[in-house]
Amino acid sequence: MAGVSVDDAMRRAVTLAARGLGTTSPNPVVGCVLLDPDGTVVGEGFHAYAGGPHAEIVALAQAGERARGGTAVVTLEPCDHTGRTGPCSLALVQAGVARVVIAVPDPNPVATGGAATLRAAGIQVELGVRAQEAETGNIAWLTAMRRGWPYVIWKFAATLDGRSAAADGTSMWITSEAARIDVHALRGTVDAVLAGVGTVLADDPRLTARNLRDGTLAIRQPLRVVVDSSGRTPAGARVHDGAARTWVATAAEVGAGPDGRVDLPALLAELHHRGVRAALLEGGPRLAGAFLAAGLVDKVVGYVAPKLLGAGRTALVDAGVTTIADAIDLEITDVTQIGPDLRITALPRNRGIG
Ligand SMILES: NC(=O)c1ccc[n+]([C@@H]2O[C@H](COP(=O)([O-])OP(=O)(O)OC[C@H]3O[C@@H](n4cnc5c(N)ncnc54)[C@H](OP(=O)(O)O)[C@@H]3O)[C@@H](O)[C@H]2O)c1
């Protein structure tokens, strides 16, 4: 890539940032492209894992002296604080870059201020280039940081007539292996997987991210959370198999809502405190209904199988809707065929931020 525009460099930086999805939490995904004064790419980087070097530092290390007088194009405002690594703002100043182009300001009160530090050092700073793309790529982290609780994705599998389990309670294999592989990939991008105690008692799921063909566990496992008001999760349940961390969140520990069950906003606040930025709500229908009724779902991912059951449990129970005017309106953002099934991604209108 020689002589690229800042706009093209930002598009590349957004692509680079996405490589960190699932491994950077509780940090954001960030991508950086360094251009020399002629617009030649002299360094590229992305933040790969929490505690590892930030995108700017990776790109600066590649560029060396060639960064001097050049432009740093970065998807998120460079951090201004010393955490596990030093401030990126200072590293950019020391490298002698003349201009920093940023897509999205950093909402993190601890890390913000990078743009001001850069300007104070005489560096030209521009904000907002390809902001929408960068925002979308970092939506879970940005949403979580802005409001103080995790971005919640509700995932479910259902038949074409909206059933999530047959009349006899069996719900395994509603969707194809291809769809289930996709779910495991989705688990690999989040920090926590949530299920109600009803699902744990009915299905005894593992809730790990793994290779379905050989059972190998993914290197990074989300925290498994069982939402279980009175601690009914059996000691021998598979979520206690030691394959990943598990938290049985009880009302005694988290706090109880008006119905005596686990208080969901308090649960999400505690998860945020534990570093969870993106959470995958895997059901079941009752817990999902409570999350939706409380307006706590940011994104819906439904796997719909070309099957009809005509009886059995529905995918959603008691979401606080009794009349059509109160239906939870969704905007479909993606429809993808996965094997024989459809994966429908949708955002609740006027509810979540994402
Ligand atoms: N197809 C799918 O995508 C899918 C996914 C998951 C499950 N399922 C099926 O769903 C069935 C289980 O359904 P379910 O509705 O009983 O299970 P669930 O939604 O997993 O669990 C419901 C239980 O969660 C607990 N809970 C704790 N805090 C809560 C709160 N604030 N609001 C609501 N519930 C809270 C309640 O028990 P306590 O009051 O004791 O805490 C409640 O009974 C199984 O047949 C399973 O196979 C299907």
Side-chain angles (χ1 to χ4, degrees):
M1 275 210 318
V4 300
S5 68
V6 156
D7 194 58
D8 282 344
M10 186 62 86
R11 188 186 309 140
R12 171 75 181 147
V14 170
T15 306
L16 287 167
R19 294 195 191 162
L21 271 178
T23 54
T24 62
S25 208
N27 293 343
V29 294
V30 187
C32 177
V33 172
L34 273 173
L35 305 176
D36 72 4
D38 299 327
T40 302
V41 175
V42 290
E44 287 189 344
F46 67 98
H47 184 43
Y49 58 95
H54 290 186
E56 298 91 320
I57 307 302
V58 177
L60 284 171
Q62 273 177 25
E65 269 306 302
R66 291 175 298 167
R68 198 158 291 281
T71 300
V73 178
V74 59
T75 56
L76 186 71
E77 181 182 356
C79 74
D80 200 37
H81 82 304
T82 305
R84 282 185 268 195
T85 59
C88 292
S89 51
L90 196 62
L92 289 163
V93 172
Q94 285 166 351
V97 302
R99 183 180 174 210
V100 176
V101 177
I102 300 163
V104 180
D106 191 333
N108 183 355
V110 178
T112 193
T117 299
L118 293 166
R119 284 197 182 102
I123 294 174
Q124 187 191 335
V125 176
E126 279 163 55
L127 262 166
V129 173
R130 288 198 176 262
Q132 192 58 48
E133 275 167 58
E135 173 96 19
T136 303
N138 224 352
I139 191 66
W141 186 85
L142 286 168
T143 305
M145 292 313 295
R146 285 176 187 144
R147 67 182 186 194
W149 74 87
Y151 187 83
V152 176
I153 304 164
W154 171 45
K155 166 256 145 186
F156 69 94
T159 60
L160 196 51
D161 60 334
R163 307 281 171 177
S164 70
D168 66 357
T170 48
S171 67
M172 307 284 267
W173 325 126
I174 281 186
T175 49
S176 62
E177 186 183 44
R180 295 197 305 278
I181 287 171
D182 197 65
V183 169
H184 281 263
L186 186 57
R187 282 182 187 166
T189 67
V190 298
D191 310 312
V193 172
L194 277 60
V197 64
T199 297
V200 169
L201 293 173
D203 296 345
D204 198 13
R206 292 183 175 87
L207 299 179
T208 50
R210 56 190 189 278
N211 181 326
L212 278 191
R213 298 233 158 84
D214 62 13
T216 331
L217 290 166
I219 291 172
R220 184 177 171 277
Q221 289 293 328
L223 170 71
R224 299 181 286 193
V225 181
V226 183
V227 188
D228 178 1
S229 309
S230 54
R232 294 189 286 144
T233 302
R238 283 179 179 155
V239 290
H240 287 310
D241 62 6
R245 290 170 303 143
T246 299
W247 178 37
V248 177
T250 61
E253 188 178 355
V254 174
D259 59 358
R261 290 181 157 150
V262 173
D263 183 71
L264 300 181
L267 171 73
L268 291 178
E270 176 56 27
L271 286 172
H272 188 77
H273 179 67
R274 294 181 183 211
V276 172
R277 301 291 173 260
L280 186 63
L281 173 60
E282 295 222 19
R286 208 168 300 278
L287 187 64
F291 265 85
L292 281 157
L296 295 173
V297 172
D298 296 295
K299 182 163 146 181
V300 176
V301 180
Y303 294 85
V304 180
K307 289 187 172 77
L308 300 170
L309 279 168
R313 195 180 280 271
T314 51
L316 193 56
V317 173
D318 198 7
V321 179
T322 49
T323 181
I324 191 69
D326 292 343
I328 298 165
D329 261 338
L330 304 175
E331 180 193 349
I332 292 178
T333 56
D334 181 67
V335 179
T336 300
Q337 179 149 5
I338 299 188
D341 307 313
L342 284 186
R343 182 190 64 200
I344 301 174
T345 306
L347 305 178
R349 289 186 205 269
N350 309 323
R351 289 187 185 235
I353 297 174

